[in-house]
Amino acid sequence: MHIWQHSFQMPNSDRYLRGDDCFSEVIEMLLRASCSAEILHHHIAAVEKLPLTTSGCPLVIQCKNFRIVHFVVPRERDCHDVYNSLLQLSRTAKYEELYAFSYNPKQNESEQVKGWQLIDLAEEYKRMGVPNDYWQLSDANRDYKICETYPRDLYVPRTASKPIIVGSSKFRSKGRFPVLSYYHKDKKAAICRCSQPLSGFSARCLEDEHMLQAISKANPSNRYMYVMDTRPKLNAMANRAAGKGYENEDNYSNIRFQFVGIENIHVMRSSLQKLLEVSGTKGLSVNDFLSGLESSGWLRHIKAVLDAAVFLVKAIAVESASVLVHCSDGWDRTSQVCSLGALLLDSYYRTIKGFMVLIEKDWISFGHKFSDRCCQLDGDPKEISPVFTQFLESVWNLMEQFPQAFEYNEAFLLQIHEHVHSCQFGNFLGNCQKEREELKLKEKTYSLWPFLLDEQKKYQNPLYSPDFSPELTLLEPNTVSFNFKFWRNMYHQFDRSMHPRQSVYDLIMNMSEQNKQLEKDIKELEAKIKQKNGQPDAVLMKEHQQSAHPAPMALKTPPCFKKEQPLIPVNDAVRTIEGSNTADNRYSEFMEEFSKAEPAVVSLEYGVARMTC
Amino acid sequence: MEFSELIKTATVESVLLSCAGLPPVRGTLCITSHHLLLSSCPGGDGQPGTVELWLLIRNVDAVEKRVQNLGWYQPPRTNDSPRDTRLAGSSGTITLRCKDLKVLQLEIPGMEECLNIASSIEALSSVDSVMMMYPFFYRPQDLRLEEGWHLFPLEQYFQQIAAQTSQWRLSDLNRDFTTCPTYPADVIVPAAVSDDTLRRAARFRQGGRFPVLSYYHPRNGTVLLRSSQPLTGPNRKRCPEDEVLLGMVLDEGERGFIIDTRSAQAAKQARMTGGGTEPKSSYPQWKRLHRPLERGRPLQESFIKLVEACNDASLSMDRWLSRLESCRWLSHVKAALSTACLAAQCLDREEASVLVHGAEGTDTTLLVTALAQVILDPGCRTVVGFQGLLEREWIEAGHPFHLRCARSAYSHARLKQEAPLFLLFLDCVWQLSRQFPFSLEFGESLLLTLFDNAYASDYGTFLCNNEKERCLCKVKENTHSLWAWLNQPEEKKKYLNPLYSHNPLVIWPSVEPQSIQLWQGLFFRWIRPSQYLDEARAEMQRLVEGNEAPAKESAGSRLSQSLSDPAARTENER
């Protein structure tokens, strides 16, 4: 759906320029023939050679940010070379070859260190109100001895002693025992996360039972707790045959067990694949598109994820009950549900900084396998899955329902998505904290967050309302099917012809910028008047009142914003062409009657090729 | 006929009104000739009763009733309604499904009252006589009857064209509606063609709808024409006058396009019933393009199915998507937009004149010509320009509103002539407004108001099927014009798009399925809570207005000058 078909045949349109840019990137990349600073390599998801045509050999590059680029290389041999180099370039075998290790934003060491310290999870737990009377920091995993894929610092109930932790971890897949993910100050209820128990058909573990009891007792406001298995019941049952499975309600006192039915990474991968096939097809009818969208199941999965988060939030907000969330390994679906739940409960995560913290906490630190899921290194294709993309898409759906609740905008989500795959920054490299430490990422690479914060103006939602900013303002989304929409700006981010030709966000953004600037000007002018007059305030007030009317005229002249002005583009994509071109929109097939645009013919020798779409 | 004969029970006490998204209210229900009123019982705090419902009965599309008469049985009640033993005997529920897609429920104590109310509403809502409709009785104090009826004379439109070319003239050959009963008195025709030729050409077109000018494209002097199908019939009849008329539109060597809104096959089949299409041999300069657009029954069914799907909140994602697909509404939106774009493309890019027709030339034809003008002509994208467009291309052009909008998506009545072509047009305009959010002076609210008024209105603007009928019914003399009401400054303000800035360019929309959206503001208007979206819109408005007078507001809020400005005040309180 989002596939961007570069239409290169229109030499005088803006798109041509874009295509050209992109093309020169590839060429540049080829010329350098080395793994140098080209983001594009890491973005390549697949390269495909299509059958030879009269005009040359078509080459299709699919990118992980859902861009699709078509090239026609006149000579087949060249095409083959290009194809091979691209394949090689896009397959990195070692972390050290990733762009992040060579990316140098010209920061000195202390800036680099400061950048990495920007997000401090200990601070974040403090903000939530832990440690407290019920929860404490455990040093059990200080050396990653109990669980390799967990962070060092873990918060557990005070009553959970080390033997209980160790015992429980032995009864949980990959040692991922129940730990605190989010603590709700007001309700004194917690979101905890873990992996599936190794219960098989009948196994029990007293320590694990104690662990859950400790969690439930750490909540003084409610006697029972929920255990959410985010898998479909059938999958969980099948796991029992492998000695894994789910909690038996009879063995655990005061738990309420619930399946929520989010599908596994393989289902999600093939769902996205189907979605991309649909969106990548040109000239689809509305019905083909909708039936493709339906059969991909993509929106169904997004709804399942959000439904699960809503269930979790209700347990906490309405019943003040703590919730333990797990799936199989507790790093995919569990991350989705815990982070979305926290986002709904706590307005902090709806701020720019808070969202970074949320990703650092529930995704990076708890060991969502970014490297495997995003295929940063050449690895097992069965490990690839768009779990994080689904999380971003769920957030986007919430933004659509609550346009004023988020400090950040869609561009922020898209930018994060871009960098999860770009491998330009160290944050998302590797699969868990231990691996990241071994890679010395904090010394060798840079953190993404300070860069995003620097340009946060681009990511601010001009409609963000202070009504939503008080701590713990709950969002109650409506998850009726019709509220879920296809995320065009994600999957067709680079297909400008499909976007609204004028961007409301940009306009409003500029306007509020303008307002701020003008207010600043007024303040400065007032200050100047004050200086000049040196008169008492009462007189000054009077003067202001008189000058308030002429002021607008003077103020309006310098930077005053006019709507007709070109708008500042979000990202680099210029999305704000007014009017636009008929040729962008295939209204008719009777083009034979009309003049044909000649494709730009160029030859590879000069660093160009003939490009068509 | 007297309305009072249709009203069996005029008032019922203690009726519980419930409506999705609002708390239920209990009050006194009252039926008048044209309205259904519910005023709430005076509250405990001594407040007088307030009117909770003021529903035009014409707006009711379907009445469903359910009665319980179980004697000893205590009917199930909502928790918060007080138990009333008087009701224990019998009660009934009436569900009113309105043409604007709102659904209301009335819980009425007493079976007989319930049945009476239901049949009264049914009878009153099915009154078919135009002269009995509410616009003929509605007399608002602040409007004058004649106001708004002559805002957009064709003469004025013609003068704009005449200022640029002398190839067209205004003809009043239809002043007594004999040449074409569905055309207005005045039409714009090629200057070189005499009224006599036109009369003969009219005989060769279904319903006498000979080709007339719909839009003159000032950029290159090409024109958009519309007509009905030629009556070629099975014997391939020809009409020299019709050929002359179309020939006059094009200069020597120029080409034109005929966009037929039927498929080539359907056009061919139409010959069997006397219709047909222009054969290449007789109209050598014109190239025919077929762009089938749905109308009539299939379109109405598409609308009904879509509304059904939207009202079913229990649908799983897969079911929802498959029902959205199978109703085909978005396909119709895409097809209408693409065809309009094609017409616009021929005019603007190919510099060729275009004739649009389907069969009768009163439905899909008007959809295409009106939409093409919104795309091409910045003048049509203002509030007043859009009203002028509707007046010219829908109302005067003879779209049979009375037939097409008699019933909406809920009606159980046997549908004959109903079809939501006008709604489809509004939906397409909404799509344009989404893709070009600064280019239309009006916002979604105007489109919604137009939809509501086309189906049930206090005003006479959408009454009748054509100008001839309007003259017979004296609509312009005896009813108020919707435009007069809409153009009152206070009212008009509500419909403005705060982001509007004049865009002189042609707005080419994307017609990819990814770009076509379901019009949630219409189809979910009464279903989904829109509080957050409305607040966001208000905030946007505030920001934009703040920007237009930035210094005033910022200075004002600090110097406490603009205490009369509520926006600035709330800002302070925060």
Side-chain angles (χ1 to χ4, degrees):
Chain A
M1 338 173 112
H2 43 48
I3 303 232
W4 192 42
Q5 309 279 7
H6 270 269
S7 268
F8 291 101
Q9 315 127 297
M10 289 159 294
N12 44 6
S13 77
D14 304 354
R15 288 175 88 187
Y16 173 74
L17 293 176
R18 263 202 84 71
D20 197 36
D21 284 351
C22 173
F23 184 68
S24 63
E25 272 176 54
V26 179
I27 290 299
E28 215 180 351
M29 184 170 73
L30 291 174
L31 292 179
R32 293 190 196 177
S34 70
C35 242
S36 58
E38 283 301 337
I39 306 170
L40 205 57
H41 317 163
H42 301 317
H43 268 148
I44 294 174
V47 188
E48 200 187 343
K49 255 188 345 180
L50 299 180
L52 196 65
T53 66
T54 47
S55 51
C57 192
L59 195 67
V60 182
I61 303 173
Q62 277 192 32
C63 300
K64 289 174 191 167
N65 53 9
F66 307 123
R67 177 190 278 196
I68 284 194
V69 191
H70 285 239
F71 294 101
V72 176
V73 186
R75 292 211 313 243
E76 200 189 357
R77 195 168 49 86
D78 292 338
C79 179
H80 191 72
D81 291 347
V82 173
Y83 175 73
N84 283 336
S85 348
L86 284 176
L87 272 192
Q88 275 179 2
L89 287 171
S90 64
R91 282 185 192 157
T92 315
K94 281 190 292 188
Y95 280 117
E96 284 76 11
E97 289 170 6
L98 290 176
Y99 182 30
F101 287 89
S102 52
Y103 173 65
N104 185 354
K106 301 197 173 65
Q107 278 191 349
N108 61 34
E109 223 168 273
S110 76
E111 282 174 312
Q112 186 179 18
V113 172
K114 242 174 85 190
W116 280 111
Q117 285 165 347
L118 185 70
I119 307 288
D120 180 358
L121 288 186
E123 272 301 312
E124 168 58 10
Y125 284 99
K126 217 180 275 168
R127 189 194 66 86
M128 290 180 208
V130 288
N132 58 21
D133 292 350
Y134 301 102
W135 296 87
Q136 65 177 4
L137 178 65
S138 157
D139 60 357
N141 202 37
R142 265 289 128 86
D143 309 311
Y144 299 114
K145 285 239 174 75
I146 295 182
C147 176
E148 288 202 336
T149 58
Y150 267 172
R152 289 175 193 272
D153 293 345
L154 293 168
Y155 292 82
V156 293
R158 278 197 190 276
T159 50
S161 64
K162 187 142 186 204
I164 289 182
I165 291 175
V166 174
S168 170
S169 78
K170 288 195 174 130
F171 189 62
R172 293 277 168 179
S173 186
K174 309 274 193 322
R176 295 171 68 93
F177 62 96
V179 296
L180 182 76
S181 158
Y182 176 75
Y183 181 74
H184 196 284
K185 265 190 280 195
D186 284 7
K187 306 278 180 190
K188 304 210 179 328
I191 302 177
C192 295
R193 52 184 295 168
C194 63
S195 61
Q196 64 184 337
L198 304 175
S199 52
F201 289 100
S202 58
R204 317 180 38 164
C205 167
L206 285 178
E207 287 91 341
D208 194 61
E209 288 162 25
H210 276 142
M211 187 73 192
L212 264 64
Q213 211 159 34
I215 290 173
S216 137
K217 283 199 175 137
N219 178 354
S221 40
N222 203 320
R223 293 199 26 80
Y224 57 88
M225 69 180 282
Y226 282 95
V227 175
M228 272 174 81
D229 190 326
T230 56
R231 299 168 293 182
K233 188 173 181 185
L234 228 67
N235 300 22
M237 284 167 71
N239 261 302
R240 289 201 299 196
K244 299 163 189 169
Y246 53 92
E247 291 81 357
N248 182 342
E249 260 179 300
D250 299 338
N251 298 342
Y252 294 84
S253 51
N254 297 325
I255 71 163
R256 296 189 179 179
F257 188 84
Q258 178 75 34
F259 287 111
V260 291
I262 304 173
E263 298 287 350
N264 65 24
I265 57 165
H266 311 294
V267 174
M268 300 307 189
R269 179 177 57 247
S270 71
S271 171
L272 179 65
Q273 199 52 48
K274 283 183 204 153
L275 184 79
L276 297 188
E277 272 163 32
V278 175
S279 65
T281 312
K282 269 196 271 178
L284 271 187
S285 74
V286 174
N287 273 16
D288 288 346
F289 174 72
L290 287 173
S291 73
L293 192 59
E294 180 201 337
S295 65
S296 78
W298 184 254
L299 292 180
R300 170 159 51 89
H301 299 315
I302 301 290
K303 175 170 154 58
V305 171
L306 250 175
D307 273 332
V310 167
F311 179 88
L312 182 154
V313 165
K314 274 194 184 140
I316 291 190
V318 179
E319 299 177 51
S320 303
S322 292
V323 185
L324 175 65
V325 184
H326 72 72
C327 47
S328 296
D329 290 319
W331 50 44
D332 294 312
R333 288 167 272 199
T334 303
S335 295
Q336 287 177 332
V337 175
C338 290
S339 55
L340 281 172
L343 184 92
L344 292 173
L345 286 168
D346 193 332
S347 30
Y348 176 62
Y349 300 126
R350 290 172 238 138
T351 63
I352 289 182
K353 177 86 184 288
F355 194 62
M356 298 172 176
V357 169
L358 185 67
I359 292 174
E360 275 289 338
K361 175 170 72 72
D362 271 311
W363 291 87
I364 297 174
S365 89
F366 277 116
H368 172 69
K369 303 203 288 174
F370 277 106
S371 178
D372 288 358
R373 297 291 178 260
C374 304
C375 193
Q376 292 168 350
L377 300 182
D378 198 20
D380 182 359
K382 286 215 172 78
E383 284 286 315
I384 303 171
S385 189
V387 176
F388 187 71
T389 307
Q390 289 182 321
F391 163 68
L392 294 178
E393 186 159 335
S394 307
V395 177
W396 175 76
N397 270 298
L398 293 173
M399 281 160 56
E400 288 284 292
Q401 271 193 49
F402 302 95
Q404 296 191 270
F406 292 82
E407 192 195 5
Y408 42 88
N409 59 19
E410 185 182 40
F412 187 57
L413 304 182
L414 293 175
Q415 189 68 355
I416 291 174
H417 185 260
E418 177 88 9
H419 284 301
V420 165
H421 293 97
S422 72
C423 301
Q424 186 177 356
F425 297 94
N427 308 62
F428 303 103
L429 301 190
N431 287 321
C432 60
Q433 291 298 57
K434 183 169 179 253
E435 198 174 3
R436 288 186 192 104
E437 283 173 22
E438 285 162 5
L439 287 169
K440 297 199 169 37
L441 289 179
K442 293 198 175 175
E443 292 146 49
K444 295 183 175 166
T445 72
Y446 294 84
S447 166
L448 168 67
W449 309 129
F451 291 88
L452 292 185
L453 269 187
D454 273 354
E455 47 184 24
Q456 63 171 307
K457 265 190 192 155
K458 280 204 252 175
Y459 307 124
Q460 262 160 0
N461 171 11
L463 299 179
Y464 180 52
S465 150
D467 291 348
F468 282 99
S469 41
E471 231 186 340
L472 306 178
T473 309
L474 179 68
L475 290 192
E476 293 174 273
N478 182 343
T479 58
V480 181
S481 299
F482 60 64
N483 270 327
F484 292 85
K485 285 179 274 181
F486 170 70
W487 193 3
R488 184 186 54 211
N489 289 3
M490 169 67 102
Y491 301 102
H492 289 286
Q493 194 185 350
F494 299 94
D495 198 344
R496 268 195 317 130
S497 71
M498 274 183 205
H499 291 265
R501 303 311 213 275
Q502 298 166 320
S503 161
V504 175
Y505 256 119
D506 295 351
L507 179 72
I508 301 285
M509 205 66 195
N510 279 322
M511 286 184 169
S512 49
E513 276 296 296
Q514 209 79 39
N515 282 350
K516 276 180 205 151
Q517 182 60 42
L518 287 168
E519 284 201 26
K520 223 178 99 196
D521 290 352
I522 289 177
K523 270 196 192 126
E524 277 169 19
L525 288 173
E526 278 174 353
K528 271 188 193 162
I529 292 173
K530 218 176 219 172
Q531 266 184 349
K532 277 199 175 163
N533 293 0
Q535 282 170 344
D537 270 5
V539 184
L540 194 69
M541 277 300 280
K542 213 170 155 194
E543 198 148 306
H544 275 181
Q545 283 174 348
Q546 286 157 354
S547 67
H549 290 288
M553 307 284 271
L555 285 171
K556 268 201 167 171
T557 24
C560 197
F561 174 74
K562 287 218 180 71
K563 284 179 222 163
E564 297 88 65
Q565 281 173 355
L567 304 160
I568 295 173
V570 176
N571 288 336
D572 55 339
V574 187
R575 290 191 195 151
T576 49
I577 28 161
E578 312 214 354
S580 74
N581 196 326
T582 42
D584 287 353
N585 313 295
R586 299 166 279 269
Y587 299 136
S588 56
E589 308 83 46
F590 71 108
M591 284 299 172
E592 85 279 0
E593 287 289 323
F594 294 173
S595 55
K596 275 183 196 158
E598 274 295 307
V601 181
V602 278
S603 78
L604 192 61
E605 280 83 353
Y606 299 106
V608 261
R610 184 190 302 177
M611 301 162 285
T612 68
C613 62
Chain B
M1 184 197 68
E2 287 293 323
F3 287 116
S4 55
E5 291 165 17
L6 301 175
I7 304 172
K8 293 183 183 153
T9 297
T11 49
V12 190
E13 301 280 338
S14 193
V15 172
L16 186 73
L17 165 76
S18 46
C19 173
L22 291 170
V25 212
R26 190 174 289 279
T28 306
L29 186 75
C30 192
I31 299 187
T32 71
S33 324
H34 294 285
H35 287 97
L36 192 65
L37 292 92
L38 187 119
S39 50
S40 65
C41 316
D45 47 358
Q47 291 284 311
T50 48
V51 177
E52 304 285 349
L53 177 72
W54 181 280
L55 181 75
L56 190 61
I57 293 182
R58 179 78 190 157
N59 190 2
V60 174
D61 202 28
V63 183
E64 286 156 26
K65 48 189 185 278
R66 216 181 58 230
V67 289
Q68 290 143 340
N69 185 19
L70 298 166
W72 48 271
Y73 176 70
Q74 176 77 39
R77 329 237 57 199
T78 47
N79 291 336
D80 48 351
S81 71
R83 290 166 73 90
D84 189 343
T85 43
R86 196 170 59 85
L87 311 182
S90 63
S91 81
T93 309
I94 298 178
T95 305
L96 297 179
R97 297 184 189 276
C98 301
K99 291 176 183 166
D100 61 10
L101 307 182
K102 178 166 53 196
V103 179
L104 300 169
Q105 283 212 334
L106 298 169
E107 219 176 281
I108 296 169
M111 185 180 71
E112 203 188 324
E113 282 89 341
C114 176
L115 293 175
N116 282 346
I117 296 277
S119 65
S120 309
I121 296 174
E122 238 163 304
L124 288 169
S125 66
S126 346
V127 170
D128 199 45
S129 155
V130 174
M131 308 280 279
M132 299 299 279
M133 284 178 188
Y134 186 57
F136 286 93
F137 301 87
Y138 180 53
R139 293 293 175 266
Q141 288 184 338
D142 38 1
L143 293 180
R144 283 175 302 119
L145 265 181
E146 62 273 25
E147 213 176 324
W149 282 115
H150 303 286
L151 282 178
F152 315 102
L154 194 66
E155 168 75 29
Q156 190 185 326
Y157 187 70
F158 172 70
Q159 287 310 328
Q160 293 169 17
I161 298 170
Q164 305 187 50
T165 173
S166 55
Q167 290 185 354
W168 297 88
R169 69 183 178 94
L170 192 67
S171 166
D172 66 347
L173 90 158
N174 199 38
R175 59 193 163 271
D176 48 7
F177 305 111
T178 46
T179 310
C180 171
T182 59
Y183 270 169
D186 295 336
V187 286
I188 302 173
V189 293
V193 180
S194 70
D195 282 357
D196 205 39
T197 312
L198 293 173
R199 271 187 207 102
R200 284 165 198 273
R203 271 180 235 137
F204 185 62
R205 294 277 170 176
Q206 181 170 3
R209 295 176 70 92
F210 56 92
V212 295
L213 180 133
S214 157
Y215 169 67
Y216 176 84
H217 194 41
R219 195 175 78 82
N220 53 23
T222 54
V223 291
L224 183 62
L225 306 170
R226 54 179 158 74
S227 70
S228 62
Q229 63 178 343
L231 301 173
T232 45
N235 303 324
R236 296 169 189 272
K237 260 192 303 190
R238 292 179 59 168
C239 169
E241 288 82 3
D242 190 68
E243 288 164 28
V244 166
L245 170 56
L246 283 181
M248 283 298 175
V249 175
L250 305 177
D251 286 341
E252 192 93 9
E254 262 186 352
R255 257 180 346 153
F257 289 94
I258 295 174
I259 296 178
D260 192 324
T261 61
R262 302 164 294 176
S263 68
Q265 208 199 346
K268 214 169 174 185
Q269 272 172 358
R271 289 219 305 263
M272 303 316 293
T273 50
T277 187
E278 296 81 355
K280 185 91 200 155
S281 53
S282 332
Y283 302 85
Q285 282 175 281
W286 293 87
K287 177 172 172 58
R288 222 169 55 231
L289 303 165
H290 290 276
R291 286 293 177 277
L293 294 181
E294 208 61 84
R295 59 192 196 113
R297 194 69 194 268
L299 192 65
Q300 178 72 13
E301 252 150 39
S302 170
F303 177 39
I304 292 173
K305 279 189 188 166
L306 173 61
V307 171
E308 249 172 39
C310 291
N311 276 302
D312 190 347
S314 67
L315 290 180
S316 72
M317 186 59 79
D318 289 2
R319 286 294 296 149
W320 159 247
L321 288 172
S322 91
R323 286 180 65 175
L324 186 59
E325 178 202 336
S326 68
C327 80
R328 300 187 57 85
W329 181 261
L330 294 178
S331 304
H332 300 321
V333 171
K334 179 184 155 104
L337 267 178
S338 324
T339 309
C341 287
L342 176 64
Q345 194 180 3
C346 292
L347 288 164
D348 191 65
R349 296 298 158 107
E350 301 309 314
E351 316 220 322
S353 290
V354 176
L355 167 67
V356 182
H357 71 70
E360 292 95 341
T362 55
D363 295 303
T364 48
T365 305
L366 304 180
L367 177 64
V368 173
T369 56
L371 208 45
Q373 293 179 52
V374 180
I375 292 166
L376 289 169
D377 183 5
C380 292
R381 298 180 216 140
T382 63
V383 174
V384 171
F386 193 63
Q387 289 171 7
L389 177 77
L390 295 181
E391 192 68 44
R392 233 174 350 101
E393 288 299 292
W394 286 93
I395 298 168
E396 288 182 2
H399 176 65
F401 278 99
H402 182 73
L403 293 172
R404 298 289 181 259
C405 301
R407 293 284 166 186
S408 173
Y410 291 122
S411 176
H412 304 302
R414 267 251 311 282
L415 302 172
K416 283 166 245 129
Q417 294 276 350
E418 288 80 355
L421 280 143
F422 187 61
L423 170 62
L424 186 59
F425 167 72
L426 295 176
D427 196 334
C428 292
V429 174
W430 179 82
Q431 306 284 346
L432 289 171
S433 78
R434 291 297 298 228
Q435 295 195 28
F436 298 89
F438 315 151
S439 300
L440 272 60
E441 196 195 10
F442 47 89
E444 186 179 53
S445 49
L446 179 68
L447 302 175
L448 292 174
T449 302
L450 290 169
F451 166 70
D452 295 347
N453 280 280
Y455 280 85
S457 180
D458 294 346
Y459 303 92
T461 301
F462 292 109
L463 289 183
C464 301
N465 292 309
N466 49 55
E467 288 297 283
K468 186 183 176 186
E469 289 182 15
R470 268 171 222 121
C471 277
L472 287 174
C473 296
K474 296 201 167 29
V475 168
K476 291 181 189 182
E477 290 80 27
N478 294 323
T479 74
H480 284 279
S481 160
L482 177 64
W483 311 138
W485 175 60
L486 284 180
N487 290 337
Q488 300 172 100
E490 270 312 295
E491 202 55 39
K492 188 175 171 185
K493 223 175 117 188
K494 293 186 210 158
Y495 301 103
L496 293 179
N497 169 12
L499 304 174
Y500 175 71
S501 77
H502 178 74
N503 175 1
L505 301 171
V506 178
I507 52 172
W508 300 109
S510 159
V511 295
E512 295 296 317
Q514 292 92 327
S515 307
I516 307 278
Q517 294 179 311
L518 182 62
W519 186 5
Q520 300 216 346
L522 179 91
F523 293 106
F524 298 129
R525 179 159 44 144
W526 313 104
I527 299 169
R528 68 163 182 191
S530 61
Q531 181 203 346
Y532 298 112
L533 303 177
D534 295 342
E535 283 173 8
R537 205 169 299 141
E539 170 68 8
M540 194 182 292
Q541 181 126 21
R542 203 187 64 80
L543 278 173
V544 173
E545 278 163 7
N547 188 265
E548 263 150 25
K552 182 188 138 212
E553 187 183 296
S554 49
S557 63
R558 212 165 326 105
L559 301 175
S560 319
Q561 277 191 325
S562 58
L563 277 176
S564 56
D565 181 0
R569 204 160 48 214
T570 43
E571 175 90 336
N572 281 341
E573 280 158 13
R574 277 173 195 159

